[in-house]
Amino acid sequence: MTLVTAALIVLAVVGSNAFQFWDPAEEFPQLNTYFDNNYIGQSFETLQEKHPDLVKISSLGKTPGDNDIHEITITSDVSNWQTANKPSVKYVANMHGNEVRGRGLLLKFAYYLAMSYESDQDVRDIMATTVFHLLPTINPDGFATATKSCSGVDGRYTSDGTDMNRDFPSSWQSGTRLKFANETKMLMNYATRVPAVLGISFHDGALVTNYPWDGVPDILSGKYAASPDDALFITMAKTYSLNHKSMSKRAAQCGQDDFKDGITNGNKWYKVFNGMQDWNYMYNDCFEVTIELGCCKYPSDAADTFGKVWSDNFNSILKFSKLANSGVKGRATDYFGNPLTDVTITVSGINKTTKVRHPEGYYWRPLLGGTYNISASKHGYYTLARKSIVVREEEPTQIDFILIPKSQVRARKRRRRRKRSV
Ligand SMILES: *[C@@H]1O[C@H](CO)[C@@H](O)[C@H](O)[C@H]1NC(C)=O
Ligand SMILES: *[C@@H]1O[C@H](CO)[C@@H](O)[C@H](O)[C@H]1NC(C)=O
Ligand SMILES: *[C@@H]1O[C@H](CO)[C@@H](O)[C@H](O)[C@H]1NC(C)=O
Ligand SMILES: [Zn+2]
């Protein structure tokens, strides 16, 4: 590779435009403390009151410890987000209750998006093209019992003792008896209700971006287990790590870790079965990575921890979000323009299909730049193939599919035959 090519690749990943940095804790100092679950709920309510056009809040339900799993949806014209032609991204944190950085990161991110909207054109642009779903904690019961400690498992599990990141279904592990903690079930229902194109699950205990597969049975732990979208996942992971202040630097990584470019394949690091990341990719077509934000899981100094996690990750999280609009996108309809869902999108050379899940028939299929054959198929309809579709890095290529039902064509042929025989 020449130096010029290398520089161009780095530029493509790191990007050129700059979002304007500011820390919401300057205005809301409590964001730099170890706030509790109620504070997340109250903050979300305040943001919704102040920005009803941008913010819609919900709860996934009550945990056995009687905590809500708070969710915030942020986008321009939020009341129409479900039918809008925009991809959703879903970022969750604190699945292991004693891994705390993502709580501060995602709550600040919610403030940042809602409060920068007026003043920052880049924020308006990304909110015009992306729906953000942020869940600062998906294991509030665990956090409530966690103690400040760099390692250990106090607060890691849900209140019924489940490790949520070993509690999701996998076609490879059908024999495994999973508990399906209430929290896991809520997340599974939520994934169906809110189909996301990209996802992140934030953890602590290392500094690295981890991508699928996390666990393939035939491949030993410590060996690389490439997913069908391996090249894309590497680019996604680097988009995060190279835009992070220090993730790609060996000196900032933890202990003996030496993650080149600050990324790792999951199975190559250590095997995890029934994790959420693989489940989201396999079953929900959500391109999800697992991001470890820091070495110490629950540091003693909240202000230092949440101050640093925001300045370190601010650029990464925004640049990563832009990947929801990459590759191909478009709409599947019938001949009359009625939206079709449950349409399977197949890309030549990639053994991973995705489904049209948006109620209006919109789809997004992240892809690296290149030339692809892409087809759309649905039971009862003729498969439609589009050849030699050129995808560029800068913006998604629009490919719409108008599918013809087999029954309609047969009926027309029958009618024609009848006419001729008269
Ligand atoms: C947790 O799940 C169990 C089994 O599905 C259910 O009986 C129980 O009511 C749930 N707990 C809460 C707090 O929702
Ligand atoms: C494609 O993936 C499926 C699982 O989704 C697998 O069963 C099949 O063997 C794969 N095909 C190839 C050619 O790798
Ligand atoms: C696309 O299809 C054409 C013709 O069917 C084939 O020659 C070509 O190799 C395919 N391209 C890719 C990228 O698979
Ligand atoms: Zn974890």
Side-chain angles (χ1 to χ4, degrees):
M1 200 190 302
T2 67
L3 268 181
V4 176
T5 329
L8 283 176
I9 288 173
V10 168
L11 186 65
V13 170
V14 176
S16 47
N17 78 334
F19 291 91
Q20 208 165 338
F21 178 81
W22 63 277
D23 188 341
E26 287 163 16
E27 220 165 307
F28 302 93
Q30 213 173 332
L31 290 171
N32 271 352
T33 66
Y34 287 130
F35 49 79
D36 63 11
N37 204 48
N38 289 332
Y39 182 69
I40 298 175
Q42 285 159 16
S43 301
F44 281 5
E45 275 173 29
T46 307
L47 286 175
Q48 183 174 251
E49 276 163 27
K50 282 195 185 154
H51 306 277
D53 45 337
L54 306 176
V55 168
K56 191 160 173 30
I57 63 173
S58 74
S59 166
L60 270 56
K62 289 276 188 200
T63 63
D66 203 29
N67 284 303
D68 280 299
I69 297 185
H70 295 291
E71 185 260 7
I72 189 167
T73 299
I74 310 186
T75 189
S76 55
D77 188 20
V78 73
S79 57
N80 293 314
W81 77 265
Q82 274 165 309
T83 51
N85 179 6
K86 301 186 205 183
S88 280
V89 302
K90 174 179 61 180
Y91 301 156
V92 312
N94 201 214
M95 164 185 256
H96 293 140
N98 62 333
E99 299 171 12
V100 300
R101 279 186 191 74
R103 293 169 62 92
L105 175 59
L106 289 183
L107 192 49
K108 286 187 180 187
F109 191 40
Y111 275 78
Y112 177 85
L113 290 172
M115 296 179 62
S116 298
Y117 188 79
E118 287 300 323
S119 58
D120 191 328
Q121 183 62 45
D122 287 328
V123 172
R124 275 203 296 283
D125 288 348
I126 201 165
M127 281 176 41
T129 52
T130 317
V131 185
F132 292 90
H133 304 278
L134 311 177
L135 294 88
T137 177
I138 56 173
N139 181 7
D141 295 1
F143 176 76
T145 65
T147 48
K148 288 177 188 163
S149 168
C150 284
S151 54
V153 295
D154 266 359
R156 176 184 177 90
Y157 307 108
T158 56
S159 48
D160 77 346
T162 306
D163 185 331
M164 285 178 80
N165 213 24
R166 311 287 188 279
D167 198 33
F168 284 82
S170 162
S171 65
W172 291 318
Q173 294 282 295
S174 49
T176 319
R177 288 235 316 279
L178 303 169
K179 281 188 183 168
F180 293 142
N182 294 44
E183 291 85 344
T184 310
K185 278 189 257 176
M186 285 189 258
L187 262 293
M188 287 167 59
N189 288 333
Y190 181 68
T192 312
R193 273 191 289 121
V194 178
V197 174
L198 300 185
I200 302 177
S201 180
F202 288 107
H203 290 248
D204 285 291
L207 186 66
V208 69
T209 298
N210 173 102
Y211 56 90
W213 298 116
D214 262 342
V216 174
D218 303 342
I219 303 177
L220 290 175
S221 188
K223 300 283 180 202
Y224 202 104
S227 77
D229 282 289
D230 191 54
L232 171 67
F233 272 121
I234 290 171
T235 295
M236 287 173 58
K238 282 189 186 172
T239 298
Y240 202 93
S241 68
L242 299 183
N243 282 298
H244 184 282
K245 284 251 177 76
S246 62
M247 190 177 277
S248 61
K249 299 187 176 82
R250 163 71 190 83
Q253 294 169 7
C254 317
Q256 299 305 305
D257 289 350
D258 189 1
F259 297 114
K260 185 163 186 305
D261 296 323
I263 67 170
T264 186
N265 171 259
N267 199 91
K268 172 142 176 52
W269 188 17
Y270 63 92
K271 187 187 287 295
V272 170
F273 282 132
N274 302 103
M276 186 170 71
Q277 169 191 274
D278 286 3
W279 177 77
N280 263 323
Y281 174 54
M282 187 181 280
Y283 290 104
N284 303 307
D285 307 336
C286 173
F287 292 77
E288 181 157 298
V289 297
T290 304
I291 296 180
E292 304 277 351
L293 290 169
C295 305
C296 178
K297 291 181 179 179
Y298 194 166
S300 54
D301 185 343
D304 179 59
T305 304
F306 286 165
K308 191 166 182 307
V309 80
W310 177 243
S311 56
D312 281 356
N313 290 273
F314 152 83
N315 207 25
S316 310
I317 198 166
L318 284 159
K319 293 278 166 59
F320 182 89
S321 303
K322 291 186 143 200
L323 295 173
N325 285 286
S326 70
V328 290
K329 66 168 190 179
R331 195 172 191 214
T333 59
D334 67 13
Y335 193 74
F336 304 101
N338 300 311
L340 296 176
T341 58
D342 212 26
V343 174
T344 301
I345 305 291
T346 306
V347 180
S348 57
I350 302 179
N351 185 23
K352 165 75 176 109
T353 59
T354 57
K355 283 226 155 83
V356 177
R357 293 162 188 269
H358 191 286
E360 293 298 318
Y362 297 115
Y363 76 93
W364 296 265
R365 201 328 175 170
L367 289 170
L368 296 179
T371 304
Y372 303 92
N373 295 337
I374 301 174
S375 68
S377 55
K378 180 177 170 69
H379 184 72
Y381 290 77
Y382 287 101
T383 295
L384 193 55
R386 301 284 305 270
K387 300 283 181 184
S388 304
I389 301 298
V390 176
V391 170
R392 298 180 209 288
E393 301 284 345
E394 306 82 53
E395 59 180 46
T397 301
Q398 173 101 20
I399 305 291
D400 296 330
F401 292 100
I402 299 172
L403 298 185
I404 309 293
K406 292 182 174 169
S407 58
Q408 194 181 318
V409 173
R410 263 190 239 115
R412 221 182 277 144
K413 275 186 189 150
R414 267 200 304 275
R415 276 200 300 277
R416 242 181 267 142
R417 267 201 302 274
R418 234 177 282 131
K419 263 189 206 151
R420 262 185 249 125
S421 62
V422 175

